[in-house]
Amino acid sequence: MEDGLNEGVVGDTAKLMMHRLIVRRLRRDPSLVEQAKAAHTRQAAQFVDWPFAREWRELLALPTGELVLKLISRDREMVRLRNSSPFYLVEGVHFGDYDARVRLRRAARRVAQRGSNTRTVSARGA
């Protein structure tokens, strides 16, 4: 299925969708931040000098309301940081079995396609 979409864009869209689900859960259970901090401590011990370790430590120190906004932000910084999210390592945070992950990826592909179509139409109209 060749649709011309950049697979990196599809992957970034899927990660944004996952973080929206994480935020939904975080709003119901604020203790998820503490669990992410514990996961981050383990992760940071393995990647001591990597910038993302410091950046995630700073993010996890934010008040929950600010953290939530960052987690679902589309800015370049968060697109990059979602690749190393400690929330993926929190026990109980999972995105289902293989079939559920395939559905998530397909949904991300549809969203990315819509975004691609919107940019194409805007570029033609300019």
Side-chain angles (χ1 to χ4, degrees):
M1 168 167 95
E2 180 58 37
D3 54 14
L5 285 176
N6 179 312
E7 289 303 314
V9 171
V10 174
D12 290 342
T13 302
K15 290 177 191 109
L16 174 60
M17 293 170 79
M18 286 186 258
H19 277 77
R20 286 180 175 170
L21 294 170
I22 289 167
V23 163
R24 189 179 297 171
R25 181 171 169 196
L26 177 61
R27 287 182 171 142
R28 287 191 315 267
D29 181 9
S31 73
L32 193 61
V33 174
E34 293 307 314
Q35 294 173 54
K37 286 179 182 179
H40 175 263
T41 298
R42 294 187 305 273
Q43 183 182 37
Q46 294 177 333
F47 300 97
V48 177
D49 294 326
W50 291 59
F52 78 84
R54 176 188 45 78
E55 293 165 317
W56 271 109
R57 184 177 55 252
E58 292 168 2
L59 283 170
L60 292 169
L62 293 173
T64 303
E66 288 180 47
L67 175 60
V68 161
L69 293 176
K70 291 297 264 180
L71 291 176
I72 59 176
S73 169
R74 292 177 183 252
D75 69 24
R76 290 177 83 155
E77 169 191 7
M78 287 311 301
V79 170
R80 177 181 57 82
L81 285 172
R82 276 191 284 271
N83 289 320
S84 57
S85 177
F87 288 94
Y88 298 139
L89 305 173
V90 170
E91 186 174 329
V93 172
H94 58 84
F95 296 96
D97 58 12
Y98 176 78
D99 291 334
R101 290 190 305 274
V102 167
R103 285 192 307 276
L104 179 69
R105 185 75 176 190
R106 286 181 181 153
R109 181 169 289 286
R110 285 190 303 273
V111 169
Q113 182 67 49
R114 279 196 305 262
S116 174
N117 289 342
T118 301
R119 284 188 295 279
T120 302
V121 169
S122 295
R124 280 190 219 144

